[in-house]
Amino acid sequence: MDEPVSRQSAMPPPGRIGEVLQRAAELYHRSLVERSAGRELLRHLGLCDEALIERHSIGFCDGSLLRALPTRGPVRGELHAVGLITVAEDRPPVERFDGALTFPVCDIDGTTAGMYAESGRPGEFTAALPDLPRPVWNAPVAKRCAEVLVTASILDALALERAGVHNVAAAPAPVPESELVYLEDLGTRCVLLGSEVSEAQAAGPEPSSRLRIHLPGRLRPLEFLARHGADALSRAVREALERTRTGPQAPDGDLTLRCGRRVYTVYGLSKGPGHLRATVRAEQHGRLHVDTLNLYRASLRRRLCSDLTRLFDEAPEIIDADIAKLVLACEDREPEGHRNAAVPAAMSAEERAAAEAFPS
């Protein structure tokens, strides 16, 4: 017979809380990988993608956590204390997130600090553990992106990732305002996507300091993905940002080249025998790289390709093709100084006669 769980279990110390959550997240993840129910739910939502599943350790709560627990020992009490299992009068313990997808939440340094769950049912949003902090989901993205799109639902954030928009995070209500301020203190600009993100979060450190964007029809990203597909969702996000962006923009360069979701801007173009020098600014949904190089040097092009492949999480052949297009565009472009050089005015007949008559 299972050992009863006290409804007044003591909260484990902070270090142990992270261990308990991590172990539970690993078990939920294994349940999703090894059984069909969780994958079927992801497939129904259009999010059954191996890279997403592994990147975010997505799991599925199907009762296997309770079945795997030892009948004796402190573990059940710890799980109850952190909120993963609940105990009601005269009823056996149950798992709080039963039948839902689970998402471990890491702090900015990658340490497990919480857990969220979503059922995927219409009208239902993210469930959280009641007695633990509620950090922003996918907060570590702020360490590598200058701008982060914040949704109210993790499923919406995953839909954006499916569309190639990787600078995403989720702030399920009621995430404390301080969590978003913390990301902004790291130098990241938080852009709220959708009306579901709470007004308290929209207020920001100062009134109206955060930009809010909407997709066409005010659809959630998950709905937009299901109706229109990944490419259309990526394009809609980019266009929404371009329409409403109010912050300082990059100055106009010698040329701008768009390759899918990637935007290349060239500054200080200099052409000559054996050299094609420029400063290249590459950006994709908040991920930014700037490099100054001679585009005719194969070794420097390879280095740029390697850097952008890692940053944008794209195949090397795709980035290599981008760079080839960039070289051709630069070759066809006249440098700024040449374009602005004054063109001598044509000499009038009177001026020509006066010049010819001038004593030599």
Side-chain angles (χ1 to χ4, degrees):
M1 182 175 178
D2 289 351
E3 188 176 80
V5 178
S6 168
R7 287 186 292 158
Q8 302 297 326
S9 301
M11 185 68 72
R16 178 60 181 163
I17 291 175
E19 293 177 7
V20 171
L21 293 173
Q22 181 61 32
R23 293 290 297 277
E26 290 170 357
L27 190 145
Y28 287 146
H29 179 64
R30 190 162 62 248
S31 295
L32 184 137
V33 170
E34 296 177 354
R35 300 180 180 89
S36 62
R39 285 181 173 274
E40 284 301 318
L41 177 53
L42 282 175
R43 191 171 292 110
H44 172 72
L45 296 170
L47 300 174
C48 193
D49 178 273
E50 294 300 327
L52 278 183
I53 292 171
E54 292 302 320
R55 184 183 307 131
H56 298 298
S57 298
I58 301 173
F60 184 70
C61 179
D62 60 357
S64 57
L65 177 62
L66 276 173
R67 293 194 296 271
L69 289 177
T71 57
R72 296 186 178 277
V75 179
R76 287 188 179 229
E78 292 176 328
L79 291 170
H80 175 241
V82 300
L84 283 172
I85 63 175
T86 62
V87 181
E89 194 73 42
D90 300 326
R91 293 184 182 180
V94 296
E95 295 183 43
R96 179 179 299 276
F97 297 145
D98 190 38
L101 297 164
T102 61
F103 307 92
V105 189
C106 296
D107 61 22
I108 197 69
D109 296 316
T111 302
T112 304
M115 187 178 294
Y116 292 128
E118 296 204 26
S119 68
R121 290 187 285 269
E124 292 189 11
F125 281 91
T126 311
L129 298 173
D131 297 322
L132 291 183
R134 302 189 179 198
V136 171
W137 177 84
N138 203 29
V141 73
K143 297 178 75 172
R144 62 179 186 272
C145 293
E147 182 176 82
V148 173
L149 299 180
V150 181
T151 68
S153 161
I154 296 173
L155 295 179
D156 284 332
L158 293 176
L160 292 169
E161 286 204 34
R162 283 280 281 169
V165 184
H166 294 287
N167 57 321
V168 295
V175 165
E177 166 66 18
S178 59
E179 292 289 334
L180 292 180
V181 173
Y182 177 60
L183 297 188
E184 290 164 335
D185 287 343
L186 295 172
T188 295
R189 186 185 190 206
C190 292
V191 178
L192 309 181
L193 198 165
S195 56
E196 295 82 9
V197 186
S198 74
E199 289 301 321
Q201 293 162 6
E206 299 175 3
S208 303
S209 64
R210 291 198 188 107
L211 176 66
R212 183 191 292 273
I213 64 173
H214 297 278
L215 297 177
R218 293 193 172 237
L219 294 177
R220 290 176 52 191
L222 189 64
E223 295 175 293
F224 198 99
L225 177 69
R227 294 188 189 186
H228 304 291
D231 289 342
L233 176 56
S234 175
R235 186 167 56 252
V237 170
R238 184 172 64 247
E239 291 173 353
L241 285 169
E242 290 173 351
R243 283 195 305 270
T244 59
R245 196 184 300 277
T246 58
Q249 301 297 299
D252 292 337
D254 289 347
L255 68 89
T256 298
L257 177 70
R258 292 185 179 274
C259 299
R261 298 182 295 269
R262 300 166 299 284
V263 180
Y264 299 90
T265 307
V266 173
Y267 305 93
L269 180 60
S270 171
K271 300 165 65 173
H275 79 265
L276 186 64
R277 294 191 182 92
T279 295
V280 178
R281 181 185 190 273
E283 183 177 10
Q284 175 177 289
H285 290 308
R287 297 186 182 185
L288 178 66
H289 179 84
V290 180
D291 200 353
T292 300
L293 72 162
N294 179 0
L295 288 166
Y296 280 164
R297 289 279 301 276
S299 60
L300 299 182
R301 292 198 308 273
R302 284 195 296 270
R303 187 186 70 186
L304 178 62
C305 181
S306 176
D307 290 343
L308 296 181
T309 296
R310 289 195 303 271
L311 179 65
F312 294 158
D313 194 24
E314 294 282 4
E317 56 268 23
I318 291 177
I319 300 299
D320 193 49
D322 286 359
I323 295 173
K325 295 173 187 174
L326 190 64
V327 170
L328 292 174
C330 288
E331 288 178 334
D332 290 339
R333 186 75 168 185
E334 193 173 353
E336 183 69 25
H338 292 183
R339 294 202 306 273
N340 295 335
V343 178
M347 186 178 291
S348 67
E350 292 80 3
E351 290 170 332
R352 181 179 297 277
E356 291 174 347
F358 194 82
S360 58

